[in-house]
Amino acid sequence: QVQLVESGGGLVQPGGSLTLSCAASGFTLENYYVGWFRQAPGKEREGVSCISQREKNTYFVDSVKGRFTISRDNAANTAYLQMNNLKPEDTAVYYCAVYRPGVFERMCKMNVPYKYWGQGTQVTVSS
């Protein structure tokens, strides 16, 4: 059974940190590019970050550059989103998702059809 399970969300004060995990099962994560998305109440879903496979090319939306780090451990079939200096505007449900890239595709993208999605984990930044 194919599954992506996010964990690590919670309540944190502004300026705090959280690390989200995305554990894959039922398929080999190494064959996929990984993306993190978020959706705040009343807002559209937003692509936050993505990471390619072995080259580990990455993308970050401007609002999180310098604060968030994305990584992956293919041996553990897990991807991570390290979030530092969190702000109230980072409050959202965070989702991980994956897609299989084209043969010559080196850079990950947010605006492509992601194949598998997790159920999401809530991140709340508030004092």
Side-chain angles (χ1 to χ4, degrees), residues 16-54:
S17 298
L18 284 174
T19 299
L20 305 183
S21 299
C22 173
S25 60
F27 68 100
T28 302
L29 187 66
E30 185 176 15
N31 297 329
Y32 293 80
Y33 286 5
V34 179
W36 285 93
F37 297 79
R38 66 186 179 185
Q39 188 164 22
K43 293 189 176 181
E44 291 188 356
R45 187 175 64 199
E46 174 185 39
V48 176
S49 179
C50 64
I51 185 167
S52 66
Q53 294 161 308
R54 298 170 191 85

PDB file of all heavy atoms in Angstrom, residues 16-54:
ATOM      1  N   GLY A  16      10.641  30.161  16.590  1.00  0.00           N
ATOM      2  CA  GLY A  16      10.975  28.784  16.903  1.00  0.00           C
ATOM      3  C   GLY A  16      11.225  27.941  15.670  1.00  0.00           C
ATOM      4  O   GLY A  16      11.184  28.439  14.532  1.00  0.00           O
ATOM      5  N   SER A  17      11.473  26.663  15.920  1.00  0.00           N
ATOM      6  CA  SER A  17      11.817  25.736  14.833  1.00  0.00           C
ATOM      7  C   SER A  17      10.998  24.457  14.943  1.00  0.00           C
ATOM      8  O   SER A  17      10.602  24.044  16.041  1.00  0.00           O
ATOM      9  CB  SER A  17      13.303  25.370  14.894  1.00  0.00           C
ATOM     10  OG  SER A  17      14.122  26.508  14.712  1.00  0.00           O
ATOM     11  N   LEU A  18      10.787  23.857  13.797  1.00  0.00           N
ATOM     12  CA  LEU A  18      10.176  22.537  13.711  1.00  0.00           C
ATOM     13  C   LEU A  18      10.814  21.788  12.552  1.00  0.00           C
ATOM     14  O   LEU A  18      11.232  22.415  11.565  1.00  0.00           O
ATOM     15  CB  LEU A  18       8.668  22.633  13.457  1.00  0.00           C
ATOM     16  CG  LEU A  18       7.734  23.016  14.601  1.00  0.00           C
ATOM     17  CD1 LEU A  18       6.317  23.194  14.073  1.00  0.00           C
ATOM     18  CD2 LEU A  18       7.762  21.978  15.711  1.00  0.00           C
ATOM     19  N   THR A  19      10.853  20.475  12.679  1.00  0.00           N
ATOM     20  CA  THR A  19      11.280  19.643  11.563  1.00  0.00           C
ATOM     21  C   THR A  19      10.162  18.681  11.218  1.00  0.00           C
ATOM     22  O   THR A  19       9.721  17.890  12.061  1.00  0.00           O
ATOM     23  CB  THR A  19      12.550  18.845  11.903  1.00  0.00           C
ATOM     24  OG1 THR A  19      13.611  19.756  12.187  1.00  0.00           O
ATOM     25  CG2 THR A  19      12.953  17.973  10.724  1.00  0.00           C
ATOM     26  N   LEU A  20       9.689  18.786   9.992  1.00  0.00           N
ATOM     27  CA  LEU A  20       8.665  17.886   9.497  1.00  0.00           C
ATOM     28  C   LEU A  20       9.316  16.699   8.811  1.00  0.00           C
ATOM     29  O   LEU A  20      10.325  16.845   8.123  1.00  0.00           O
ATOM     30  CB  LEU A  20       7.739  18.597   8.518  1.00  0.00           C
ATOM     31  CG  LEU A  20       7.071  19.875   9.014  1.00  0.00           C
ATOM     32  CD1 LEU A  20       6.128  20.425   7.945  1.00  0.00           C
ATOM     33  CD2 LEU A  20       6.346  19.660  10.312  1.00  0.00           C
ATOM     34  N   SER A  21       8.743  15.529   9.018  1.00  0.00           N
ATOM     35  CA  SER A  21       9.201  14.316   8.348  1.00  0.00           C
ATOM     36  C   SER A  21       8.118  13.802   7.424  1.00  0.00           C
ATOM     37  O   SER A  21       6.928  13.974   7.695  1.00  0.00           O
ATOM     38  CB  SER A  21       9.546  13.239   9.366  1.00  0.00           C
ATOM     39  OG  SER A  21      10.588  13.650  10.222  1.00  0.00           O
ATOM     40  N   CYS A  22       8.550  13.163   6.369  1.00  0.00           N
ATOM     41  CA  CYS A  22       7.630  12.571   5.400  1.00  0.00           C
ATOM     42  C   CYS A  22       8.130  11.150   5.136  1.00  0.00           C
ATOM     43  O   CYS A  22       9.122  10.972   4.423  1.00  0.00           O
ATOM     44  CB  CYS A  22       7.609  13.394   4.120  1.00  0.00           C
ATOM     45  SG  CYS A  22       6.657  12.676   2.758  1.00  0.00           S
ATOM     46  N   ALA A  23       7.464  10.193   5.722  1.00  0.00           N
ATOM     47  CA  ALA A  23       7.887   8.797   5.598  1.00  0.00           C
ATOM     48  C   ALA A  23       7.098   8.117   4.494  1.00  0.00           C
ATOM     49  O   ALA A  23       5.858   8.132   4.508  1.00  0.00           O
ATOM     50  CB  ALA A  23       7.678   8.073   6.918  1.00  0.00           C
ATOM     51  N   ALA A  24       7.814   7.530   3.553  1.00  0.00           N
ATOM     52  CA  ALA A  24       7.180   6.844   2.423  1.00  0.00           C
ATOM     53  C   ALA A  24       7.176   5.341   2.645  1.00  0.00           C
ATOM     54  O   ALA A  24       8.134   4.779   3.192  1.00  0.00           O
ATOM     55  CB  ALA A  24       7.931   7.166   1.138  1.00  0.00           C
ATOM     56  N   SER A  25       6.105   4.712   2.229  1.00  0.00           N
ATOM     57  CA  SER A  25       6.030   3.254   2.274  1.00  0.00           C
ATOM     58  C   SER A  25       5.271   2.760   1.052  1.00  0.00           C
ATOM     59  O   SER A  25       4.452   3.473   0.486  1.00  0.00           O
ATOM     60  CB  SER A  25       5.364   2.772   3.554  1.00  0.00           C
ATOM     61  OG  SER A  25       4.046   3.272   3.649  1.00  0.00           O
ATOM     62  N   GLY A  26       5.577   1.540   0.645  1.00  0.00           N
ATOM     63  CA  GLY A  26       4.905   0.959  -0.509  1.00  0.00           C
ATOM     64  C   GLY A  26       5.529   1.330  -1.840  1.00  0.00           C
ATOM     65  O   GLY A  26       5.072   0.872  -2.890  1.00  0.00           O
ATOM     66  N   PHE A  27       6.543   2.164  -1.816  1.00  0.00           N
ATOM     67  CA  PHE A  27       7.268   2.524  -3.033  1.00  0.00           C
ATOM     68  C   PHE A  27       8.651   3.045  -2.634  1.00  0.00           C
ATOM     69  O   PHE A  27       8.915   3.321  -1.475  1.00  0.00           O
ATOM     70  CB  PHE A  27       6.519   3.565  -3.866  1.00  0.00           C
ATOM     71  CG  PHE A  27       6.435   4.928  -3.231  1.00  0.00           C
ATOM     72  CD1 PHE A  27       7.289   5.959  -3.613  1.00  0.00           C
ATOM     73  CD2 PHE A  27       5.494   5.196  -2.241  1.00  0.00           C
ATOM     74  CE1 PHE A  27       7.209   7.210  -3.030  1.00  0.00           C
ATOM     75  CE2 PHE A  27       5.397   6.442  -1.656  1.00  0.00           C
ATOM     76  CZ  PHE A  27       6.262   7.449  -2.046  1.00  0.00           C
ATOM     77  N   THR A  28       9.524   3.167  -3.624  1.00  0.00           N
ATOM     78  CA  THR A  28      10.898   3.603  -3.364  1.00  0.00           C
ATOM     79  C   THR A  28      11.004   5.103  -3.574  1.00  0.00           C
ATOM     80  O   THR A  28      10.924   5.605  -4.699  1.00  0.00           O
ATOM     81  CB  THR A  28      11.877   2.869  -4.307  1.00  0.00           C
ATOM     82  OG1 THR A  28      11.733   1.458  -4.121  1.00  0.00           O
ATOM     83  CG2 THR A  28      13.310   3.285  -4.013  1.00  0.00           C
ATOM     84  N   LEU A  29      11.183   5.818  -2.481  1.00  0.00           N
ATOM     85  CA  LEU A  29      11.214   7.281  -2.535  1.00  0.00           C
ATOM     86  C   LEU A  29      12.324   7.795  -3.448  1.00  0.00           C
ATOM     87  O   LEU A  29      12.187   8.840  -4.074  1.00  0.00           O
ATOM     88  CB  LEU A  29      11.381   7.843  -1.128  1.00  0.00           C
ATOM     89  CG  LEU A  29      11.267   9.343  -0.987  1.00  0.00           C
ATOM     90  CD1 LEU A  29       9.851   9.818  -1.305  1.00  0.00           C
ATOM     91  CD2 LEU A  29      11.673   9.784   0.421  1.00  0.00           C
ATOM     92  N   GLU A  30      13.408   7.062  -3.534  1.00  0.00           N
ATOM     93  CA  GLU A  30      14.568   7.487  -4.324  1.00  0.00           C
ATOM     94  C   GLU A  30      14.200   7.757  -5.786  1.00  0.00           C
ATOM     95  O   GLU A  30      14.860   8.557  -6.454  1.00  0.00           O
ATOM     96  CB  GLU A  30      15.656   6.421  -4.243  1.00  0.00           C
ATOM     97  CG  GLU A  30      16.955   6.797  -4.936  1.00  0.00           C
ATOM     98  CD  GLU A  30      18.027   5.745  -4.749  1.00  0.00           C
ATOM     99  OE1 GLU A  30      17.680   4.628  -4.346  1.00  0.00           O
ATOM    100  OE2 GLU A  30      19.207   6.055  -5.000  1.00  0.00           O
ATOM    101  N   ASN A  31      13.168   7.115  -6.283  1.00  0.00           N
ATOM    102  CA  ASN A  31      12.782   7.276  -7.684  1.00  0.00           C
ATOM    103  C   ASN A  31      11.911   8.506  -7.939  1.00  0.00           C
ATOM    104  O   ASN A  31      11.504   8.743  -9.080  1.00  0.00           O
ATOM    105  CB  ASN A  31      12.026   6.039  -8.161  1.00  0.00           C
ATOM    106  CG  ASN A  31      12.891   4.792  -8.115  1.00  0.00           C
ATOM    107  OD1 ASN A  31      14.105   4.860  -8.284  1.00  0.00           O
ATOM    108  ND2 ASN A  31      12.260   3.650  -7.869  1.00  0.00           N
ATOM    109  N   TYR A  32      11.642   9.270  -6.908  1.00  0.00           N
ATOM    110  CA  TYR A  32      10.708  10.389  -7.004  1.00  0.00           C
ATOM    111  C   TYR A  32      11.328  11.684  -6.521  1.00  0.00           C
ATOM    112  O   TYR A  32      12.222  11.688  -5.661  1.00  0.00           O
ATOM    113  CB  TYR A  32       9.454  10.099  -6.176  1.00  0.00           C
ATOM    114  CG  TYR A  32       8.613   8.971  -6.713  1.00  0.00           C
ATOM    115  CD1 TYR A  32       8.966   7.647  -6.473  1.00  0.00           C
ATOM    116  CD2 TYR A  32       7.467   9.228  -7.452  1.00  0.00           C
ATOM    117  CE1 TYR A  32       8.191   6.605  -6.979  1.00  0.00           C
ATOM    118  CE2 TYR A  32       6.684   8.199  -7.945  1.00  0.00           C
ATOM    119  CZ  TYR A  32       7.058   6.891  -7.706  1.00  0.00           C
ATOM    120  OH  TYR A  32       6.293   5.864  -8.196  1.00  0.00           O
ATOM    121  N   TYR A  33      10.829  12.781  -7.058  1.00  0.00           N
ATOM    122  CA  TYR A  33      11.116  14.094  -6.505  1.00  0.00           C
ATOM    123  C   TYR A  33      10.085  14.362  -5.419  1.00  0.00           C
ATOM    124  O   TYR A  33       8.937  13.938  -5.517  1.00  0.00           O
ATOM    125  CB  TYR A  33      11.017  15.174  -7.578  1.00  0.00           C
ATOM    126  CG  TYR A  33      12.167  15.213  -8.562  1.00  0.00           C
ATOM    127  CD1 TYR A  33      13.172  14.260  -8.555  1.00  0.00           C
ATOM    128  CD2 TYR A  33      12.248  16.226  -9.508  1.00  0.00           C
ATOM    129  CE1 TYR A  33      14.217  14.306  -9.464  1.00  0.00           C
ATOM    130  CE2 TYR A  33      13.293  16.291 -10.421  1.00  0.00           C
ATOM    131  CZ  TYR A  33      14.269  15.324 -10.383  1.00  0.00           C
ATOM    132  OH  TYR A  33      15.307  15.375 -11.289  1.00  0.00           O
ATOM    133  N   VAL A  34      10.492  15.079  -4.390  1.00  0.00           N
ATOM    134  CA  VAL A  34       9.645  15.329  -3.231  1.00  0.00           C
ATOM    135  C   VAL A  34       9.318  16.811  -3.129  1.00  0.00           C
ATOM    136  O   VAL A  34      10.214  17.653  -3.274  1.00  0.00           O
ATOM    137  CB  VAL A  34      10.331  14.872  -1.931  1.00  0.00           C
ATOM    138  CG1 VAL A  34       9.435  15.156  -0.729  1.00  0.00           C
ATOM    139  CG2 VAL A  34      10.685  13.394  -1.998  1.00  0.00           C
ATOM    140  N   GLY A  35       8.072  17.112  -2.868  1.00  0.00           N
ATOM    141  CA  GLY A  35       7.656  18.489  -2.656  1.00  0.00           C
ATOM    142  C   GLY A  35       6.934  18.644  -1.328  1.00  0.00           C
ATOM    143  O   GLY A  35       6.319  17.698  -0.832  1.00  0.00           O
ATOM    144  N   TRP A  36       7.043  19.832  -0.760  1.00  0.00           N
ATOM    145  CA  TRP A  36       6.281  20.208   0.425  1.00  0.00           C
ATOM    146  C   TRP A  36       5.351  21.358   0.034  1.00  0.00           C
ATOM    147  O   TRP A  36       5.793  22.324  -0.587  1.00  0.00           O
ATOM    148  CB  TRP A  36       7.194  20.646   1.566  1.00  0.00           C
ATOM    149  CG  TRP A  36       7.894  19.530   2.254  1.00  0.00           C
ATOM    150  CD1 TRP A  36       9.148  19.044   1.972  1.00  0.00           C
ATOM    151  CD2 TRP A  36       7.404  18.740   3.342  1.00  0.00           C
ATOM    152  NE1 TRP A  36       9.450  18.008   2.820  1.00  0.00           N
ATOM    153  CE2 TRP A  36       8.396  17.796   3.674  1.00  0.00           C
ATOM    154  CE3 TRP A  36       6.216  18.730   4.074  1.00  0.00           C
ATOM    155  CZ2 TRP A  36       8.260  16.864   4.703  1.00  0.00           C
ATOM    156  CZ3 TRP A  36       6.061  17.810   5.090  1.00  0.00           C
ATOM    157  CH2 TRP A  36       7.067  16.896   5.402  1.00  0.00           C
ATOM    158  N   PHE A  37       4.120  21.224   0.442  1.00  0.00           N
ATOM    159  CA  PHE A  37       3.106  22.231   0.169  1.00  0.00           C
ATOM    160  C   PHE A  37       2.464  22.632   1.492  1.00  0.00           C
ATOM    161  O   PHE A  37       2.576  21.915   2.494  1.00  0.00           O
ATOM    162  CB  PHE A  37       2.028  21.656  -0.759  1.00  0.00           C
ATOM    163  CG  PHE A  37       2.531  21.258  -2.114  1.00  0.00           C
ATOM    164  CD1 PHE A  37       3.200  20.064  -2.305  1.00  0.00           C
ATOM    165  CD2 PHE A  37       2.323  22.072  -3.211  1.00  0.00           C
ATOM    166  CE1 PHE A  37       3.679  19.687  -3.561  1.00  0.00           C
ATOM    167  CE2 PHE A  37       2.781  21.715  -4.470  1.00  0.00           C
ATOM    168  CZ  PHE A  37       3.457  20.519  -4.646  1.00  0.00           C
ATOM    169  N   ARG A  38       1.789  23.749   1.487  1.00  0.00           N
ATOM    170  CA  ARG A  38       1.048  24.145   2.680  1.00  0.00           C
ATOM    171  C   ARG A  38      -0.239  24.841   2.281  1.00  0.00           C
ATOM    172  O   ARG A  38      -0.322  25.434   1.198  1.00  0.00           O
ATOM    173  CB  ARG A  38       1.890  25.051   3.578  1.00  0.00           C
ATOM    174  CG  ARG A  38       2.242  26.405   2.992  1.00  0.00           C
ATOM    175  CD  ARG A  38       3.198  27.140   3.929  1.00  0.00           C
ATOM    176  NE  ARG A  38       3.591  28.440   3.390  1.00  0.00           N
ATOM    177  CZ  ARG A  38       4.494  29.238   3.952  1.00  0.00           C
ATOM    178  NH1 ARG A  38       5.118  28.858   5.071  1.00  0.00           N
ATOM    179  NH2 ARG A  38       4.786  30.402   3.416  1.00  0.00           N
ATOM    180  N   GLN A  39      -1.205  24.754   3.156  1.00  0.00           N
ATOM    181  CA  GLN A  39      -2.473  25.432   2.928  1.00  0.00           C
ATOM    182  C   GLN A  39      -2.973  26.028   4.228  1.00  0.00           C
ATOM    183  O   GLN A  39      -3.210  25.305   5.199  1.00  0.00           O
ATOM    184  CB  GLN A  39      -3.520  24.481   2.344  1.00  0.00           C
ATOM    185  CG  GLN A  39      -4.795  25.187   1.903  1.00  0.00           C
ATOM    186  CD  GLN A  39      -5.657  24.350   0.994  1.00  0.00           C
ATOM    187  OE1 GLN A  39      -5.565  23.129   0.968  1.00  0.00           O
ATOM    188  NE2 GLN A  39      -6.506  25.009   0.218  1.00  0.00           N
ATOM    189  N   ALA A  40      -3.079  27.337   4.226  1.00  0.00           N
ATOM    190  CA  ALA A  40      -3.605  28.059   5.374  1.00  0.00           C
ATOM    191  C   ALA A  40      -5.117  28.216   5.219  1.00  0.00           C
ATOM    192  O   ALA A  40      -5.630  28.183   4.094  1.00  0.00           O
ATOM    193  CB  ALA A  40      -2.935  29.422   5.476  1.00  0.00           C
ATOM    194  N   PRO A  41      -5.834  28.414   6.335  1.00  0.00           N
ATOM    195  CA  PRO A  41      -7.288  28.568   6.251  1.00  0.00           C
ATOM    196  C   PRO A  41      -7.688  29.704   5.319  1.00  0.00           C
ATOM    197  O   PRO A  41      -7.148  30.810   5.409  1.00  0.00           O
ATOM    198  CB  PRO A  41      -7.677  28.870   7.699  1.00  0.00           C
ATOM    199  CG  PRO A  41      -6.603  28.256   8.512  1.00  0.00           C
ATOM    200  CD  PRO A  41      -5.348  28.414   7.712  1.00  0.00           C
ATOM    201  N   GLY A  42      -8.579  29.416   4.400  1.00  0.00           N
ATOM    202  CA  GLY A  42      -9.065  30.433   3.484  1.00  0.00           C
ATOM    203  C   GLY A  42      -8.131  30.791   2.358  1.00  0.00           C
ATOM    204  O   GLY A  42      -8.410  31.719   1.591  1.00  0.00           O
ATOM    205  N   LYS A  43      -7.015  30.067   2.262  1.00  0.00           N
ATOM    206  CA  LYS A  43      -6.044  30.371   1.207  1.00  0.00           C
ATOM    207  C   LYS A  43      -5.840  29.161   0.311  1.00  0.00           C
ATOM    208  O   LYS A  43      -6.124  28.026   0.687  1.00  0.00           O
ATOM    209  CB  LYS A  43      -4.706  30.799   1.825  1.00  0.00           C
ATOM    210  CG  LYS A  43      -4.765  32.114   2.568  1.00  0.00           C
ATOM    211  CD  LYS A  43      -3.379  32.589   2.961  1.00  0.00           C
ATOM    212  CE  LYS A  43      -3.432  33.954   3.625  1.00  0.00           C
ATOM    213  NZ  LYS A  43      -2.074  34.442   3.994  1.00  0.00           N
ATOM    214  N   GLU A  44      -5.309  29.426  -0.866  1.00  0.00           N
ATOM    215  CA  GLU A  44      -5.009  28.340  -1.788  1.00  0.00           C
ATOM    216  C   GLU A  44      -3.748  27.603  -1.328  1.00  0.00           C
ATOM    217  O   GLU A  44      -2.900  28.160  -0.626  1.00  0.00           O
ATOM    218  CB  GLU A  44      -4.799  28.896  -3.201  1.00  0.00           C
ATOM    219  CG  GLU A  44      -6.062  29.427  -3.835  1.00  0.00           C
ATOM    220  CD  GLU A  44      -5.856  29.788  -5.290  1.00  0.00           C
ATOM    221  OE1 GLU A  44      -4.724  29.696  -5.788  1.00  0.00           O
ATOM    222  OE2 GLU A  44      -6.852  30.175  -5.933  1.00  0.00           O
ATOM    223  N   ARG A  45      -3.658  26.365  -1.765  1.00  0.00           N
ATOM    224  CA  ARG A  45      -2.461  25.604  -1.465  1.00  0.00           C
ATOM    225  C   ARG A  45      -1.247  26.239  -2.136  1.00  0.00           C
ATOM    226  O   ARG A  45      -1.322  26.693  -3.282  1.00  0.00           O
ATOM    227  CB  ARG A  45      -2.634  24.164  -1.945  1.00  0.00           C
ATOM    228  CG  ARG A  45      -1.509  23.232  -1.531  1.00  0.00           C
ATOM    229  CD  ARG A  45      -1.837  21.826  -1.948  1.00  0.00           C
ATOM    230  NE  ARG A  45      -1.910  21.690  -3.395  1.00  0.00           N
ATOM    231  CZ  ARG A  45      -2.515  20.681  -4.021  1.00  0.00           C
ATOM    232  NH1 ARG A  45      -3.107  19.734  -3.315  1.00  0.00           N
ATOM    233  NH2 ARG A  45      -2.519  20.634  -5.345  1.00  0.00           N
ATOM    234  N   GLU A  46      -0.136  26.243  -1.424  1.00  0.00           N
ATOM    235  CA  GLU A  46       1.089  26.894  -1.908  1.00  0.00           C
ATOM    236  C   GLU A  46       2.246  25.895  -1.918  1.00  0.00           C
ATOM    237  O   GLU A  46       2.435  25.145  -0.968  1.00  0.00           O
ATOM    238  CB  GLU A  46       1.422  28.063  -0.972  1.00  0.00           C
ATOM    239  CG  GLU A  46       2.743  28.745  -1.260  1.00  0.00           C
ATOM    240  CD  GLU A  46       3.089  29.806  -0.228  1.00  0.00           C
ATOM    241  OE1 GLU A  46       2.832  29.581   0.962  1.00  0.00           O
ATOM    242  OE2 GLU A  46       3.626  30.848  -0.615  1.00  0.00           O
ATOM    243  N   GLY A  47       2.996  25.912  -2.994  1.00  0.00           N
ATOM    244  CA  GLY A  47       4.200  25.103  -3.047  1.00  0.00           C
ATOM    245  C   GLY A  47       5.312  25.759  -2.255  1.00  0.00           C
ATOM    246  O   GLY A  47       5.641  26.917  -2.502  1.00  0.00           O
ATOM    247  N   VAL A  48       5.876  25.073  -1.304  1.00  0.00           N
ATOM    248  CA  VAL A  48       6.870  25.638  -0.405  1.00  0.00           C
ATOM    249  C   VAL A  48       8.293  25.288  -0.845  1.00  0.00           C
ATOM    250  O   VAL A  48       9.166  26.170  -0.924  1.00  0.00           O
ATOM    251  CB  VAL A  48       6.644  25.134   1.025  1.00  0.00           C
ATOM    252  CG1 VAL A  48       7.741  25.638   1.959  1.00  0.00           C
ATOM    253  CG2 VAL A  48       5.271  25.555   1.527  1.00  0.00           C
ATOM    254  N   SER A  49       8.529  24.015  -1.129  1.00  0.00           N
ATOM    255  CA  SER A  49       9.892  23.581  -1.419  1.00  0.00           C
ATOM    256  C   SER A  49       9.842  22.228  -2.111  1.00  0.00           C
ATOM    257  O   SER A  49       8.869  21.478  -1.968  1.00  0.00           O
ATOM    258  CB  SER A  49      10.687  23.470  -0.110  1.00  0.00           C
ATOM    259  OG  SER A  49      12.007  23.034  -0.361  1.00  0.00           O
ATOM    260  N   CYS A  50      10.881  21.942  -2.873  1.00  0.00           N
ATOM    261  CA  CYS A  50      10.997  20.607  -3.465  1.00  0.00           C
ATOM    262  C   CYS A  50      12.466  20.235  -3.578  1.00  0.00           C
ATOM    263  O   CYS A  50      13.354  21.098  -3.488  1.00  0.00           O
ATOM    264  CB  CYS A  50      10.297  20.504  -4.808  1.00  0.00           C
ATOM    265  SG  CYS A  50      10.959  21.542  -6.125  1.00  0.00           S
ATOM    266  N   ILE A  51      12.706  18.940  -3.759  1.00  0.00           N
ATOM    267  CA  ILE A  51      14.069  18.426  -3.848  1.00  0.00           C
ATOM    268  C   ILE A  51      14.108  17.314  -4.880  1.00  0.00           C
ATOM    269  O   ILE A  51      13.195  16.486  -4.970  1.00  0.00           O
ATOM    270  CB  ILE A  51      14.565  17.931  -2.475  1.00  0.00           C
ATOM    271  CG1 ILE A  51      16.036  17.510  -2.540  1.00  0.00           C
ATOM    272  CG2 ILE A  51      13.690  16.801  -1.939  1.00  0.00           C
ATOM    273  CD1 ILE A  51      16.654  17.305  -1.155  1.00  0.00           C
ATOM    274  N   SER A  52      15.154  17.324  -5.674  1.00  0.00           N
ATOM    275  CA  SER A  52      15.300  16.293  -6.689  1.00  0.00           C
ATOM    276  C   SER A  52      15.880  15.032  -6.052  1.00  0.00           C
ATOM    277  O   SER A  52      15.951  14.898  -4.838  1.00  0.00           O
ATOM    278  CB  SER A  52      16.195  16.801  -7.818  1.00  0.00           C
ATOM    279  OG  SER A  52      17.509  17.005  -7.348  1.00  0.00           O
ATOM    280  N   GLN A  53      16.346  14.143  -6.873  1.00  0.00           N
ATOM    281  CA  GLN A  53      16.794  12.852  -6.355  1.00  0.00           C
ATOM    282  C   GLN A  53      18.261  12.930  -5.919  1.00  0.00           C
ATOM    283  O   GLN A  53      18.577  13.568  -4.922  1.00  0.00           O
ATOM    284  CB  GLN A  53      16.594  11.772  -7.415  1.00  0.00           C
ATOM    285  CG  GLN A  53      15.149  11.502  -7.742  1.00  0.00           C
ATOM    286  CD  GLN A  53      14.986  10.800  -9.069  1.00  0.00           C
ATOM    287  OE1 GLN A  53      15.498  11.243 -10.084  1.00  0.00           O
ATOM    288  NE2 GLN A  53      14.253   9.692  -9.078  1.00  0.00           N
ATOM    289  N   ARG A  54      19.136  12.273  -6.606  1.00  0.00           N
ATOM    290  CA  ARG A  54      20.524  12.154  -6.157  1.00  0.00           C
ATOM    291  C   ARG A  54      21.242  13.498  -6.177  1.00  0.00           C
ATOM    292  O   ARG A  54      22.044  13.792  -5.307  1.00  0.00           O
ATOM    293  CB  ARG A  54      21.261  11.141  -7.017  1.00  0.00           C
ATOM    294  CG  ARG A  54      20.679   9.743  -6.922  1.00  0.00           C
ATOM    295  CD  ARG A  54      21.264   8.821  -7.965  1.00  0.00           C
ATOM    296  NE  ARG A  54      20.535   7.554  -8.054  1.00  0.00           N
ATOM    297  CZ  ARG A  54      19.445   7.387  -8.780  1.00  0.00           C
ATOM    298  NH1 ARG A  54      18.965   8.381  -9.464  1.00  0.00           N
ATOM    299  NH2 ARG A  54      18.844   6.212  -8.815  1.00  0.00           N
TER     300      ARG A  54
END
